Amino acid sequence: MPPKKTILRDAAPYLPELTLDCVILSFHEDRLKVLLLRWKGTQEWSLPGGPIQRNEAVDAAANRILKERTGLDDIFLQQFHVFGEVERYNREEIRHKLKHLIDPDKWYERAVSVGYYALVDYTKVTPTPDAYTEQCAWWDVQHTPALLFDHNHIIHVARQALRTQLSWQPIGYNLLPEQFTLPELQRLYEAILGKTLDPRNFQRKMLSLGILERLAERRRGGAHKSPYLYRFKKEQYELKLKEGNLFFT
Amino acid sequence: MPPKKTILRDAAPYLPELTLDCVILSFHEDRLKVLLLRWKGTQEWSLPGGPIQRNEAVDAAANRILKERTGLDDIFLQQFHVFGEVERYNREEIRHKLKHLIDPDKWYERAVSVGYYALVDYTKVTPTPDAYTEQCAWWDVQHTPALLFDHNHIIHVARQALRTQLSWQPIGYNLLPEQFTLPELQRLYEAILGKTLDPRNFQRKMLSLGILERLAERRRGGAHKSPYLYRFKKEQYELKLKEGNLFFT
DNA sequence: TTTTAATGTGTTATTTTAACATAATGATAA
DNA sequence: TTATCATTATGTTAAAATAACACATTAAAA
């Protein structure tokens, strides 16, 4: 491989050949949603992501991207996999689809990507495109379009990781608004686990963990019996997480 | 940051600023062991690891390093964390300690490292140093010396990951020789979990999983009642793993 | 006022776990 | 040759967790 444009690359503020991709998930109308970007002048979508600055921790870069795309700070963000294959995707195809947007030399190199997932409150996000894209929107994670790069695969791996980490991570805490009902929490767990749960057993188990506080209010407006509102007792929640005692089947 | 030696670096067969570190674990005399390297002309130890080739998958690089240090192929190898801090360790200190061995310019850059752990059969390993080191040896994971770089920290994180993944990974399968006794398997689990288990309950639970085959032979030579030998039923083991049903408390 | 479907609470049988006891074994020491 | 003793194998039981059920309550809509 001949050296090329080396001065330019090394002068760049970014680490070459290392990127990250963020699977930003939320929960809305009983569905898991993922935040996607549409590239300028195309109908092509991809995950948010990008390169890492030379003087920036990888975790910090993930937080920066999360902040830029959602407006949110201090959010649960978890690295879940490194995508380090040489031929992660068809680079020629990307070069063709995005040729009007990017420097072909810059994007033609093999890159390793660190995958992160973030769990955010749908109602608090302001989806914001980046310099290369013109639309940022939530997609039902079950019905994403064919994405650029290997991003469908990355989403798949993220969801697997989320399922196995469900017991050790503060998952409800970040995906739901501050106040929520038990049926809402149950539907979140069902969406992540991909199976239905018995509401009576779910309720008993959740409450027995001692991490929920029932409020005086109920959620009004539904067609039927109005459910109680709850919020997480933050200290107890984090205690349980440390103990690894939120295992859920 | 001024550009420097850019031609040289880009011509290099390795990805700049990306490395990997391997926490190679085995089990011997009831203790978890980790494979460490001693650097030439020093008393300084570190984990095996190194850079990734431009045309090489990151997983392939980990397998290459594992093979070079142990002689083993086709071994369970799991990436567990990306160490992406800017100041992972004191680079000045490393530069001083290893100044007789390395090009200071090359090693003075910030690097991101992908952490892997491997679980190997102690009896099958031939510890082999690399070009920079003159000794490769097993250390009790509880009593490692102060290591170079952030490698004590990497071992710590690897052990945490191993504990939480104990239920979903084929851990016994790789850490033990083909034939083993139930007390040996129990002591392995105790070493990983860091706590003692009740042998009666352990035995019943293990056997109830249906992944062990009892052999006619017993292990002779112990001072007391000779225990039965077992081996894993590979298909059943992998089935259980897929189901995520090896949870162990 | 009735209907309807979602919510909250309750019951029970089964399974799993935790805690504890004891018999069998086989080299070693007496 | 026999007794000793630590280790292994197997057994028992109470407590806890889980799974699979039934049913009363509620609030909007018909």
Side-chain angles (χ1 to χ4, degrees), chain A residues 1-19 51-55 91 95 103-111, chain B residues 1-17 54 109:
Chain A
M1 181 178 306
K4 55 186 174 188
K5 297 210 177 178
T6 50
I7 304 290
L8 200 89
R9 178 183 299 128
D10 263 21
Y14 294 110
L15 296 181
E17 284 99 37
L18 186 63
T19 65
I52 292 140
Q53 295 170 14
R54 282 194 175 275
N55 63 347
R91 289 201 289 272
R95 192 156 111 126
D103 174 355
D105 283 330
K106 202 169 158 190
W107 284 66
Y108 198 57
E109 290 287 337
R110 173 258 181 113
Chain B
M1 182 177 308
K4 54 186 175 187
K5 299 208 177 180
T6 50
I7 303 292
L8 199 90
R9 179 182 297 128
D10 263 21
Y14 294 110
L15 296 181
E17 284 99 39
R54 282 195 175 274
E109 290 288 337

Side-chain angles (χ1 to χ4, degrees), chain A residues 9-10 56 79 82 110, chain B residues 9-10 56 79 82 110:
Chain A
R9 178 183 299 128
D10 263 21
E56 179 185 46
Q79 52 166 262
V82 173
R110 173 258 181 113
Chain B
R9 179 182 297 128
D10 263 21
E56 179 184 47
Q79 55 165 261
V82 173
R110 173 257 180 113

